[in-house]
Amino acid sequence: MAGVESPERREHLFKVLVIGDLGVGKTSIIKRYVHQLFSQHYRATIGVDFALKVIHWDRRTLVRLQLWDIAGQERFGNMTRVYYKEALGAFVVFDVSRSSTFEAVSKWKHDLDSKVHLPNGGPIPAILLANKCDQNKETSRQTHSHLDQFCKESGFVGWFETSAKDNINIDEAARSLVEHILSNYKSFHAEENDVGTVKLDQAALQAESKSQCC
């Protein structure tokens, strides 16, 4: 009996940035997401660290997320342009217990939007993470509506309360970002195919007109 052919498997490698002020928990979020580990004693990231998360998205899709943990003290320096290059998505992180880290979010988002773009020139999808929510158990409705409005005005595709310590919403936030990245990838891939078809059609027309001239 002949074997049933399996559908073609697609594999993607997506670069994702994790940015925000020093000490907001970027490294803790990545360690929790990739290795299911948490420690109170991570050293400050110097420059940039990398982590790889392999996701079996569905039967036909394997996603490799290359997570770039960019040091908070890099704050909008010249090197960030190099670090941001070819990224397809980002998390911008702040610490709910330190208001100064939220005030810096707009600067991080502006820096991101000025240095990396989608093929159509638009901003890459970014999700805001309100981290260390375990230290601030009672988030008011007012805070939720404020963050909803802030994300809308600042161009974030969404936000999540997260805790690396208690493993709250880390996987959910990552899944949401990957969904946006995959959606963009599919739409741009379809546009490329359309452009290729148009070019082929134009070439065929030109060839036909030349043959008629002859």
Side-chain angles (χ1 to χ4, degrees):
M1 180 177 164
V4 178
E5 285 189 22
S6 60
E8 183 186 349
R9 188 177 177 85
R10 292 180 179 272
E11 294 190 12
H12 303 289
L13 177 64
F14 296 144
K15 176 178 175 178
V16 169
L17 308 174
V18 185
I19 57 179
D21 270 11
L22 181 66
V24 295
K26 300 183 296 295
T27 302
S28 296
I29 286 169
I30 291 171
K31 296 280 188 191
R32 169 63 78 182
Y33 180 53
V34 176
H35 304 296
Q36 291 302 310
L37 296 172
F38 177 78
S39 168
Q40 300 277 15
H41 307 293
Y42 291 125
R43 60 176 175 76
T45 302
I46 299 169
V48 64
D49 270 342
F50 308 92
L52 188 71
K53 173 79 170 181
V54 179
I55 308 165
H56 296 275
W57 190 256
D58 57 35
R59 287 192 313 125
R60 296 183 57 189
T61 313
L62 182 80
V63 173
R64 289 185 174 87
L65 273 195
Q66 189 183 58
L67 296 149
W68 286 50
D69 178 4
I70 295 174
Q73 66 266 36
E74 283 293 335
R75 285 188 69 116
F76 332 123
N78 292 329
M79 282 303 292
T80 53
R81 188 175 295 278
V82 178
Y83 297 153
Y84 290 1
K85 192 177 180 185
E86 295 177 355
L88 295 173
F91 292 114
V92 182
V93 188
F94 75 96
D95 176 348
V96 295
S97 65
R98 290 161 54 213
S99 59
S100 62
T101 64
F102 177 70
E103 289 161 13
V105 163
S106 294
K107 293 177 184 174
W108 282 106
K109 182 66 164 65
H110 180 267
D111 191 55
L112 180 72
D113 292 346
S114 68
K115 290 176 180 172
V116 63
H117 306 95
L118 292 174
N120 67 353
I124 64 172
I127 287 180
L128 181 65
L129 299 184
N131 195 39
K132 304 189 184 180
C133 67
D134 55 281
Q135 296 181 18
N136 188 17
K137 298 281 187 185
E138 295 180 12
T139 309
S140 67
R141 282 187 181 178
Q142 191 177 0
T143 303
H144 277 251
S145 61
H146 172 65
L147 284 173
D148 286 341
Q149 187 63 28
F150 175 79
C151 286
K152 195 174 178 181
E153 291 171 356
S154 304
F156 286 96
V157 295
W159 70 275
F160 288 83
E161 285 185 305
T162 56
S163 167
K165 183 181 178 183
D166 293 348
N167 196 17
I168 297 170
N169 283 339
I170 306 286
D171 288 350
E172 290 81 355
R175 184 165 188 86
S176 176
L177 187 61
V178 172
E179 282 173 353
H180 281 93
I181 293 171
L182 279 169
S183 176
N184 284 335
Y185 175 84
K186 286 171 184 171
S187 63
F188 289 126
H189 196 64
E191 282 175 19
E192 283 173 10
N193 288 341
D194 289 344
V195 169
T197 305
V198 168
K199 284 179 179 173
L200 283 171
D201 289 346
Q202 287 173 342
L205 284 168
Q206 286 171 353
E208 190 178 334
S209 63
K210 280 181 183 175
S211 64
Q212 286 172 350
C213 291
C214 294

